[in-house]
Amino acid sequence: MPEILDDTAPRGRGRARATSKAELERIGLDLFIDRGFSTVTVDDIAEAAGISRRTFFRYYDSKNDVAWGDFSRLMEGFAEALGRAPADASVIAAVRDAVRGFNQVPGDELDRHRHRMIILLKTPELVAHSTVRYAAWRGVIADFVARRLGLSARDAVPQAVSWACLGISLSAYEQWIERPDADLLALIDASFRGLRDVFSAVVIDAEETT
């Protein structure tokens, strides 16, 4: 069930109140796309949503978090997808499928998804913030790989695979941003095929020695 934004702040005539965290995210992202991330303030987002500044901070710690959306929920879904991976699926195939699912958006949302990634990858103010998010994303993969191989998530192979998966995912995004007519999922598939070739021997060796 979506989180309802309960706000009693006066609103301008005709201004619609945001009704959920997802709606607040949508409003913020639209403003970032239209005006540029750097020029949009928290007050701008709150005003466009018809809520108070205080209510905005009940759901997002900063405008940086709006660009990422409901990241905690996305990470939960990512971890669940990996947890559902068939036992006979290779580590790389399981991660690839989960990353594909992470990026599988309706056709009419693809343009907004591309703009979101442009904002996240090309906005200097978001670089440090993104590092924290990337660490959480890598942590989900490292935990999965560690469970599969009977290792600690801090061991070399889970960490190497998680860093590699982040790198090829970012590479796929970069290519997609530069080539808007390209298929993002096809780019992800191609990147993971290369990762599989490079890491398959390492993972196989680790599996045989556990």
Side-chain angles (χ1 to χ4, degrees):
M1 180 178 294
E3 297 176 87
I4 302 302
L5 294 173
D6 181 16
D7 190 55
T8 57
R11 290 174 288 155
R13 180 175 300 175
R15 191 193 311 162
R17 184 198 303 267
T19 57
S20 70
K21 186 174 185 179
E23 180 69 3
L24 186 57
E25 173 198 342
R26 184 194 64 77
I27 290 169
L29 183 58
D30 285 345
L31 287 174
F32 298 153
I33 293 170
D34 291 342
R35 304 183 190 176
F37 181 84
S38 300
T39 66
V40 176
T41 66
V42 167
D43 289 332
D44 291 334
I45 299 171
E47 181 179 5
I51 62 173
S52 68
R53 179 183 176 90
R54 182 178 66 180
T55 299
F56 173 94
F57 286 115
R58 286 175 51 196
Y59 295 94
Y60 291 103
D61 291 334
S62 69
K63 72 170 185 176
N64 293 356
D65 295 299
V66 177
W68 280 95
D70 194 345
F71 190 74
S72 295
R73 181 181 61 80
L74 290 172
M75 288 299 95
E76 289 173 2
F78 192 33
E80 288 170 1
L82 286 169
R84 292 192 300 269
D88 59 350
S90 71
V91 167
I92 299 304
V95 175
R96 178 203 61 206
D97 290 345
V99 172
R100 279 179 57 93
F102 194 77
N103 290 279
Q104 205 149 15
V105 300
D108 58 355
E109 287 290 317
L110 271 175
D111 191 54
R112 295 182 81 252
H113 188 43
R114 179 182 287 108
H115 275 94
R116 183 198 299 276
M117 296 315 303
I118 291 172
I119 291 167
L120 292 174
L121 296 177
K122 304 296 185 181
T123 305
E125 300 98 304
L126 284 172
V127 172
H129 189 76
S130 296
T131 300
V132 176
R133 300 303 196 190
Y134 294 153
W137 192 91
R138 287 189 292 102
V140 171
I141 294 177
D143 286 343
F144 168 73
V145 176
R147 288 195 304 273
R148 274 295 186 91
L149 303 182
L151 301 171
S152 164
R154 298 303 305 169
D155 286 343
V157 171
Q159 286 297 309
V161 173
S162 71
W163 277 100
C165 288
L166 174 63
I168 66 167
S169 296
L170 293 178
S171 174
Y173 282 132
E174 292 280 3
Q175 293 178 67
W176 188 46
I177 289 170
E178 297 300 325
R179 298 160 49 198
D181 58 332
D183 184 327
L184 174 59
L185 298 183
L187 291 172
I188 290 171
D189 285 341
S191 296
F192 270 92
R193 280 196 297 272
L195 178 68
R196 179 196 60 202
D197 294 341
V198 171
F199 274 90
S200 59
V202 176
V203 174
I204 289 170
D205 287 345
E207 288 175 332
E208 289 178 346
T209 58
T210 57

